[in-house]
């Protein structure tokens, strides 16, 4: 029976076509909470974006009484809407698609920088109301300015490359430093804030990165950009900083509180100000990003359901090494006949060897299998494996 996949928050046609070509049954009709709870156990995979909440209760419904749920795929980077610990306890793998939105979000952050620096939305608004203003909207150039990026992962580095091409000096702060990042790292956030003409946030977390203390460390000519997470900026502190001229301006794409659905009212006291640009969480909202993200999550889910691949996993290690326990290897060249793996497992189990993973490929008329184990294999283990009928060679 073909495996079934439910894309509860929708999926682009290109990704649906790919999954069907791989032999999966794909359904995209959105289930409400009640229907999802009752049906989830009949699906092998659940694909979501940010709308569907994957709670402990939903995961339990997916596995109880012989439920088939094996994997949850999140289109995009954030997994705040998925109970990762519950998934781990229940044996459900969670994967994400972190690359599809990278360029779109970096471009949007750059667009917000241009918008606030050149005051484009304000000039547009006055012209649409029938009044010509020019001197009122004198702006500043990005060329020659210093951009400070907090959070130098995929999106931060993509923005750095674009800003560098415009002639900006780019500095960055991150706990993890990439040797190839197109920026110069600094040692602390205060150091970055003191030097930057523009500050752009591209980090996670649930506590503010920018609060009253950090805003006081910025230049009074500086601009703050947030196209990451709303909770990264304390909005009351930002309001006061913008109102008093402590910083020159801000451009936000995300907020502490956002409407749950399209078309709902949005109220925020930052709307009172004339030195802020706001957009409705549009960072990943491009056709290109939708296709890339959809294809990426389709491919990583296929990799797990078809081949047991753990790449892009967020609640388990992508590799055995990432589990943090030392591993050793045993190399076995053997006949391609049924029962060989059972014999290997029996011998190693009886000799106290804990198998963590094995990879196997055809090698001419034979097979080459590499076992990864947690105990350093002894000569006795090697000899016992070598003595199995059908084994040509064993090395450790």
């Amino acid at each position: 029976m073909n495996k079934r996949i439910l894309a509860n928050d929708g999926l682009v046609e290109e990704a649906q076509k790919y999954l069907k070509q791989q032999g999966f049954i794909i359904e995209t009709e959105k289930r409400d909470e009640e229907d999802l709870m009752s049906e989830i156990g009949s699906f092998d995979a659940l694909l979501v974006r940010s709308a569907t909440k994957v709670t402990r209760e939903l995961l339990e419904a997916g596995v109880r009484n012989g439920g088939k749920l094996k994997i949850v795929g999140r289109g995009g980077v954030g997994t705040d809407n998925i109970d990762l610990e519950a998934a781990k306890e229940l044996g459900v793998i969670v994967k994400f698609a972190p690359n599809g939105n990278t360029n779109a979000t970096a471009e949007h952050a750059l667009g917000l920088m241009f918008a606030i620096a050149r005051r484009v939305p304000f000039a547009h608004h006055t012209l649409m109301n029938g009044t010509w203003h020019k001197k009122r909207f004198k702006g500043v150039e990005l060329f020659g300015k210093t951009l400070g990026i907090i959070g130098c992962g995929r999106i931060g580095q993509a923005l750095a490359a674009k800003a560098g091409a415009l002639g900006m000096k780019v500095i960055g702060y991150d706990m993890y430093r990439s040797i190839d990042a197109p920026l110069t790292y600094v040692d602390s956030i205060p150091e970055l804030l003191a030097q930057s003409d523009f500050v752009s946030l591209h980090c996670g977390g649930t506590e503010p990165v920018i609060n009253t203390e950090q805003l006081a460390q910025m230049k009074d000519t500086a601009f703050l950009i947030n196209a990451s997470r709303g909770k990264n900026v304390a909005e009351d502190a930002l309001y006061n900083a913008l109102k008093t001229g402590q910083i020159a301006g801000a451009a936000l794409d995300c907020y502490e509180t956002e409407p749950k659905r399209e078309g709902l009212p949005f109220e925020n006291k930052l709307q009172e100000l004339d030195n802020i640009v706001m957009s409705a969480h549009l960072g990943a909202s491009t056709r290109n990003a939708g296709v890339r993200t959809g294809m990426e999550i389709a491919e990583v889910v296929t990799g797990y359901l078809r081949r047991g691949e753990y790449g892009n996993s967020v609640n388990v290690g992508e590799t055995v090494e990432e589990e943090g326990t030392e591993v050793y290897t045993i190399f076995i060249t053997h006949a391609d006949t049924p029962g060989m793996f059972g014999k290997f497992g029996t011998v190693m189990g009886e000799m106290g060897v804990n198998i963590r993973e094995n990879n196997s490929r055809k090698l001419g008329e034979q097979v080459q299998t590499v076992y990864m184990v947690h105990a350093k294999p002894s000569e006795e283990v090697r000899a016992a494996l070598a003595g199995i009928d059908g084994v040509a060679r064993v090395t450790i």
Side-chain angles (χ1 to χ4, degrees):
M1 183 176 179
N2 289 347
K3 290 182 171 59
R4 300 177 69 211
I5 298 175
L6 172 62
N8 204 51
D9 293 334
L11 191 66
V12 293
E13 288 293 334
E14 292 86 344
Q16 292 185 48
K17 182 178 179 181
Y18 171 82
L19 289 169
K20 290 174 182 176
Q21 289 172 341
Q22 297 299 312
F24 297 112
I25 297 170
I26 176 72
E27 297 187 27
T28 59
E29 182 180 348
K30 187 173 182 62
R31 272 72 166 169
D32 60 23
E33 185 177 351
E34 183 178 348
D35 288 340
L36 189 57
M37 289 287 287
S38 65
E39 296 182 44
I40 189 61
S42 66
F43 290 94
D44 296 273
L46 171 65
L47 307 187
V48 301
R49 290 186 67 86
S50 59
T52 299
K53 307 305 178 187
V54 186
T55 62
R56 176 178 289 274
E57 292 72 24
L58 180 61
L59 291 164
E60 289 174 344
V63 302
R64 76 164 65 101
N65 299 325
K68 296 181 178 180
L69 185 65
K70 302 171 181 65
I71 182 171
V72 174
R74 165 66 161 97
V77 179
T79 54
D80 295 347
N81 58 319
I82 303 172
D83 191 327
L84 299 180
E85 283 303 311
K88 186 184 296 185
E89 292 172 21
L90 296 167
V92 177
I93 301 302
V94 179
K95 292 193 174 194
F96 66 168
N99 299 300
N101 298 339
T102 298
N103 184 71
T105 306
E107 282 192 4
H108 193 65
L110 186 61
L112 290 173
M113 289 167 60
F114 275 117
I116 189 62
R118 300 304 297 269
R119 302 183 61 78
V120 173
F122 312 111
H124 169 81
H125 181 71
T126 57
L127 284 176
M128 293 297 286
N129 286 331
T131 306
W132 179 273
H133 281 291
K134 185 174 180 180
K135 294 180 180 179
R136 179 180 171 187
F137 297 124
K138 182 179 290 187
V140 299
E141 297 180 22
L142 273 59
F143 177 83
K145 302 298 191 300
T146 296
L147 167 63
I149 298 175
I150 301 177
C152 305
R154 297 176 182 87
I155 296 170
Q157 290 186 42
L159 174 60
K162 298 177 191 302
L166 294 172
M168 300 188 80
K169 175 185 177 182
V170 186
I171 59 177
Y173 174 80
D174 199 300
M175 293 178 63
Y176 305 98
R177 298 189 176 190
S178 170
I179 193 171
D180 297 320
L183 51 83
T184 301
Y185 286 102
V186 296
D187 295 328
S188 68
I189 290 178
E191 182 181 354
L192 179 142
L193 297 175
Q195 296 182 41
S196 299
D197 301 298
F198 293 82
V199 175
S200 191
L201 307 180
H202 298 283
C203 45
T206 58
E207 297 297 324
V209 177
I210 301 296
N211 210 323
T212 302
E213 180 183 354
Q214 288 74 35
L215 289 163
Q217 294 166 350
M218 294 175 64
K219 300 178 181 180
D220 60 8
T221 55
F223 299 92
L224 176 67
I225 314 296
N226 186 20
S228 54
R229 297 189 181 186
K231 293 186 183 298
N232 281 341
V233 176
E235 290 178 5
D236 285 343
L238 177 62
Y239 176 87
N240 292 332
L242 292 172
K243 185 88 171 174
T244 61
Q246 189 174 36
I247 65 172
L252 305 183
D253 187 47
C254 44
Y255 310 89
E256 289 179 337
T257 302
E258 298 180 2
K260 296 184 181 300
R261 296 192 306 277
E262 190 84 1
L264 291 179
F266 175 70
E267 295 182 2
N268 189 307
K269 67 179 182 179
L270 292 168
Q271 293 165 312
E272 303 170 11
L273 305 173
D274 61 2
N275 55 348
I276 186 169
V277 172
M278 308 172 83
S279 61
H281 219 135
L282 301 178
S285 296
T286 69
R287 170 65 180 165
N288 312 65
V291 172
R292 284 194 295 265
T293 299
M295 287 301 298
E296 185 179 10
I297 197 61
E299 289 169 358
V300 299
V301 169
T302 296
Y304 183 71
L305 292 178
R306 284 278 181 259
R307 299 177 294 278
E309 296 175 354
Y310 286 92
N312 287 43
S313 296
V314 295
N315 65 337
V316 297
E318 294 189 53
T319 64
V320 173
E321 288 89 341
E322 289 182 16
E323 294 178 350
T325 304
E326 193 167 6
V327 290
Y328 304 86
T329 47
I330 303 174
F331 302 84
I332 309 176
T333 306
H334 58 90
D336 187 15
T337 55
M340 295 302 297
F341 294 116
K343 295 175 183 178
F344 300 153
T346 298
V347 167
M348 285 191 269
E350 291 175 347
M351 301 186 76
V353 179
N354 184 21
I355 300 170
R356 291 300 297 116
E357 186 171 285
N358 70 289
N359 294 301
S360 187
R361 295 291 184 273
K362 287 280 289 183
L363 184 65
E365 296 302 315
Q366 302 183 100
V367 173
Q368 181 75 10
T369 299
V370 181
Y371 279 92
M372 300 181 74
V373 299
H374 273 173
K376 187 174 183 178
S378 64
E379 173 57 27
E380 288 76 18
V381 170
R382 190 205 67 78
L385 290 169
I388 296 173
D389 186 37
V391 172
R393 182 170 181 251
V394 179
T395 59
I396 56 178

